[in-house]
Amino acid sequence: MADHKAFVEKTMQMDVLDTHTHLVGDRLPARDFWEIAHYFWLFRELEAGGYPADAAELPEKMRIAAFLEAHRASRNTLMNWVFTNIFKQLYGIDIRDENSVREADEAVRASSAQSGWAQLVADKLNIRGFVVNVPEHAEFHGMRQDALLIPRIDGRLNGWVAAIHQSAEPHAAMEETKRVIGELLQSYKLQGCPGIMTTLPRYEASAHESYTLSAESSRDQILMMLLHAICGEAERNGLFVQLFLGVERSWGSTAVPANDPARILKLTGLFEKYTCPFELVVASEINNLDVVQAAWNHPHVHVGGLWWYNFRASTYRDCMQYRLEALPGIKSSLIASDARCIEWSFGKILLVKRLLGEFLSEKIQAGWLDEDTAEHVAKCWLYQSAADRYGFRP
């Protein structure tokens, strides 16, 4: 039977494909300590520990003191663990006092000037590839391979819905939009993109309903009509459709997670009508089982990494259990770092690899899995499932 520590270490050495990042190819590393320290997820936890929202405007000595106080106050949180281990494992620095912060800042500034730093960081965890959603970000300077581009269309989609809804001639506007969608997806195919990505807001319409376009059609009904057009063109062009769900921006100035027990049910009509692969990525905890059920019911539906408010150790453990008992390993991807610098991609993947190694080791110890099966699952979840779906070859 596999030794627990040895299996976790074996997991740490496995290949990874980071399926969702905000990395920008010509500035992959963080440029100073504060670019790492002010990453959105950590910043939220620091604020809860008393860190001022205007910390960047403070004199440096006061800023460091405020950071250290909030860092100590939030030392139990998950992103604090990630941040702490970024500096321990990449720079050999333990953040504990003003001198260590200044030392860390010097180290980050020095590493950002190294042409091979981003590749070095990726190699430490065998991160073989990264996905971006903006064409201008895909050329990765100083790395062996550019990012894989999966263009996002949510900005266009929202504009299309609004234009049709406001048009005096909605039928003409719809036909023109369908023509544009066809040309756009064909252009992505010709560029070598494997699929498209879009976020979706909360919707009251359902894909299994047949809506007739009229001046009284709601925005949600128009959205659903356009999703049918998009999926039809994706099917014709051999593209997959990646749907990011569960974050709402209509309740205030801050994006929030929104659980909706009917969210995935309302998309079932798309899964049944179109044969293009779908990948479902959710940020709302209640929908984690729903996407597994959709993938269990539909062979061409896959579950992706955990997004936004799902990036919690507890949520990962629940999701891994759902997926392990219901889906073949090749149907599920686990990594979506959402990182804005290479150091945070490293830190968040370090965390997920450890959680995965511990989870699967426990299953081996309990007799639910043999070591070979556990290895197979880990390799699929970290790399192979996404690599096959995206056609990625390092």
Side-chain angles (χ1 to χ4, degrees):
M1 184 176 291
D3 173 77
H4 176 82
K5 185 176 179 181
F7 187 84
V8 172
E9 181 55 35
K10 182 181 289 188
T11 305
M12 289 293 180
Q13 301 305 315
M14 292 179 182
D15 289 349
V16 176
L17 179 54
D18 191 345
T19 67
H20 179 64
T21 76
H22 294 275
L23 297 173
V24 179
D26 62 353
R27 46 186 174 91
L28 296 168
R31 288 161 290 190
D32 59 26
F33 170 84
W34 300 107
E35 195 168 329
I36 298 175
H38 284 189
Y39 176 59
F40 173 78
W41 290 107
L42 176 65
F43 196 86
R44 277 285 186 266
E45 294 172 9
L46 292 172
E47 281 189 307
Y51 196 50
D54 62 348
E57 301 171 15
L58 296 174
E60 186 177 27
K61 191 174 183 66
M62 292 179 62
R63 183 185 190 184
I64 292 173
F67 175 83
L68 288 169
E69 183 177 352
H71 180 258
R72 285 190 289 270
S74 63
R75 60 188 179 272
N76 60 287
T77 67
L78 198 64
M79 289 303 106
N80 188 300
W81 183 94
V82 175
F83 169 83
T84 299
N85 278 275
I86 287 172
F87 279 96
K88 281 184 177 179
Q89 301 208 21
L90 293 182
Y91 300 99
I93 296 173
D94 183 15
I95 304 298
R96 63 193 182 281
D97 55 21
E98 180 179 340
N99 287 338
S100 65
V101 171
R102 293 185 185 278
E103 180 187 1
D105 189 47
E106 291 178 7
V108 176
R109 290 176 186 274
S111 64
S112 69
Q114 297 178 25
S115 61
W117 174 253
Q119 189 65 64
L120 178 66
V121 171
D123 287 346
K124 284 180 178 292
L125 283 178
N126 292 321
I127 310 172
R128 301 305 184 194
F130 300 85
V131 173
V132 298
N133 301 122
V134 179
E136 293 77 18
H137 297 172
E139 184 179 348
F140 270 24
H141 294 200
M143 299 196 74
R144 287 189 292 269
Q145 186 163 346
D146 289 338
L148 182 69
L149 174 63
I150 301 176
R152 64 185 304 163
I153 65 166
D154 39 4
R156 294 174 184 263
L157 180 56
N158 294 333
W160 293 332
V161 170
I164 295 169
H165 188 256
Q166 296 165 9
S167 175
E169 298 182 3
H171 287 279
M174 175 66 79
E175 291 306 309
E176 173 60 16
T177 302
K178 288 181 178 179
R179 183 191 67 78
V180 170
I181 290 171
E183 291 182 353
L184 182 65
L185 268 60
Q186 185 177 40
S187 74
Y188 290 151
K189 177 65 174 179
L190 293 174
Q191 292 174 44
C193 301
I196 57 169
M197 169 268 199
T198 187
T199 60
L200 291 179
R202 184 184 294 267
Y203 36 86
E204 299 304 325
S206 299
H208 74 288
E209 298 282 358
S210 295
Y211 298 110
T212 301
L213 183 63
S214 70
E216 285 73 44
S217 295
S218 70
R219 284 176 176 264
D220 288 350
Q221 291 172 346
I222 293 170
L223 170 66
M224 207 55 69
M225 294 179 210
L226 290 179
L227 286 177
H228 276 281
I230 289 166
C231 293
E233 291 297 336
E235 183 179 73
R236 276 186 282 278
N237 286 282
L239 302 174
F240 66 81
V241 176
Q242 188 183 53
L243 300 175
F244 279 59
L245 310 161
V247 169
E248 297 296 330
R249 301 179 184 273
S250 57
W251 298 97
S253 60
T254 300
V256 295
N259 289 306
D260 179 355
R263 175 175 282 121
I264 307 304
L265 292 176
K266 293 172 183 175
L267 298 176
T268 301
L270 301 177
F271 308 150
E272 291 187 343
K273 186 170 183 178
Y274 305 102
T275 59
C276 58
F278 291 88
E279 183 174 284
L280 305 180
V281 180
V282 291
S284 46
E285 186 174 6
I286 198 172
N287 293 128
N288 287 317
L289 182 56
D290 297 330
V291 296
V292 170
Q293 305 290 43
W296 191 86
N297 277 316
H298 305 282
H300 59 302
V301 175
H302 309 260
V303 287
L306 277 63
W307 185 47
W308 274 64
Y309 299 91
N310 267 340
F311 204 100
R312 301 279 190 271
S314 54
T315 314
Y316 267 101
R317 293 189 187 100
D318 288 343
C319 286
M320 289 188 286
Q321 183 65 38
Y322 297 155
R323 297 175 184 201
L324 183 69
E325 57 191 48
L327 301 176
I330 207 65
K331 291 266 283 178
S332 174
S333 299
L334 204 59
I335 301 293
S337 76
D338 218 8
R340 296 181 180 274
C341 64
I342 196 73
E343 293 84 0
W344 268 99
S345 178
F346 170 90
K348 293 177 88 172
I349 290 171
L350 176 73
L351 172 67
V352 177
K353 276 191 162 185
R354 175 172 167 174
L355 291 170
L356 176 60
E358 291 175 349
F359 172 80
L360 290 175
S361 177
E362 290 167 4
K363 298 303 174 187
I364 296 170
Q365 303 301 322
W368 289 106
L369 297 176
D370 58 48
E371 188 171 353
D372 285 346
T373 302
E375 271 193 55
H376 169 74
V377 169
K379 289 176 179 178
C380 286
W381 287 3
L382 292 172
Y383 175 83
Q384 200 62 55
S385 175
D388 288 355
R389 195 154 50 255
Y390 304 168
F392 177 78
R393 298 292 179 268

